[in-house]
Amino acid sequence: MSDRQLWSYKEIAAHIRVQPDTVRSYRKHGLLPPPDQVQGGKPYWYADTVRAWVARRPRNRGRRED
């Protein structure tokens, strides 16, 4: 079953325990996958997209994500 819930910078930041501005910086520097949707000019990612990105992040310290 896939998780199609849309996450903004805020939800991504909470998931990886950083500030939303850090996630914005990741996107600016091409470290975040392209958004799955853009609504009203704001990017959103599916939770599954974020979890897959976290699993393959080079700086993933082996911390298990919930």
Side-chain angles (χ1 to χ4, degrees):
M1 185 172 170
S2 65
D3 189 346
R4 304 303 271 180
Q5 180 181 5
L6 289 172
W7 286 4
S8 67
Y9 290 123
K10 182 179 176 181
E11 288 84 17
I12 295 170
H15 184 70
I16 61 173
R17 299 180 184 132
V18 299
Q19 295 297 313
D21 282 344
T22 301
V23 181
R24 286 183 187 90
S25 178
Y26 289 168
R27 183 174 181 218
K28 178 181 177 183
H29 291 98
L31 302 174
L32 196 63
D36 293 302
Q37 290 189 25
V38 177
Q39 298 174 1
K42 295 180 181 181
Y44 294 92
W45 292 261
Y46 291 124
D48 281 346
T49 300
V50 175
R51 288 186 184 107
W53 169 72
V54 168
R56 66 180 184 272
R57 279 176 68 200
R59 295 183 184 240
N60 182 1
R61 296 181 198 108
R63 181 176 67 213
R64 186 174 179 171
E65 300 294 332
D66 297 330

